[in-house]
Amino acid sequence: WAGTGCMARQWNGTDWVALGASIFTGTTYFCTQVTIAVGPTGVPTAAIALSGSSPYVEVRAWDGVTWASVAAGGFGLSSPLMRIGADGVPVFATYSSGFPSNVRVWRLTPTLVQLGAFDGDSSFDLRLFRGNTPMVLIGSLRDLRVYRQNAI
């Protein structure tokens, strides 16, 4: 496989098989990073970082045949990390290398809602506390910070 898109493969017990054609294929934007998560319903969902004239993140879900677009937004973002809560709602963190550089946390309900932005660099992780509450860890050369949303 070659091109500008990104592909998902699933282990069937003996081999890796393609999960559809491509999660994203484009000529203006190029898939640079992808993260995938499976929620309580078993549906794979992908957050894709796309580069181009205005980089952004797109969220797509596997519908059994193709990767259907769920939402797009967050221009200028990269390095997506995604988790799916016990409620089935995707939460993801992205990195913005602008000035100041920061990590942003998003929730898909059903549109992208930014939950917060934190100063930091591209060393970060995202977890869900008690099933649905986002928690982000941001590391740098000087310190490690942890942020948790108080209520959803």
Side-chain angles (χ1 to χ4, degrees):
W1 179 79
T4 59
C6 43
M7 176 170 275
R9 295 191 178 270
Q10 179 177 349
W11 182 251
N12 69 5
T14 56
D15 197 9
W16 290 97
V17 295
L19 199 56
S22 177
I23 299 174
F24 178 87
T25 302
T27 56
T28 305
Y29 289 93
F30 305 97
C31 178
T32 57
Q33 296 162 320
V34 64
T35 184
I36 193 163
V38 178
T41 62
V43 175
T45 303
I48 312 154
L50 300 167
S51 66
S53 58
S54 297
Y56 70 100
V57 170
E58 183 164 332
V59 180
R60 292 185 175 223
W62 177 247
D63 65 9
V65 177
T66 188
W67 289 93
S69 183
V70 177
F75 292 91
L77 303 176
S78 64
S79 306
L81 287 178
M82 182 173 53
R83 306 289 184 254
I84 298 180
D87 58 2
V89 176
V91 175
F92 61 99
T94 56
Y95 174 69
S96 172
S97 60
F99 184 78
S101 62
N102 58 44
V103 174
R104 299 178 192 180
V105 179
W106 306 81
R107 178 177 287 277
L108 185 62
T109 59
T111 59
L112 289 175
V113 176
Q114 184 174 320
L115 301 179
F118 310 95
D119 290 339
D121 56 27
S122 59
S123 177
F124 64 95
D125 195 10
L126 173 70
R127 297 288 181 217
L128 296 180
F129 182 72
R130 295 192 177 145
N132 293 320
T133 303
M135 187 168 71
V136 65
L137 294 84
I138 303 171
S140 70
L141 295 174
R142 295 179 303 277
D143 61 358
L144 172 68
R145 289 166 283 146
V146 178
Y147 300 94
R148 185 184 76 186
Q149 187 178 10
N150 289 330
I152 302 272

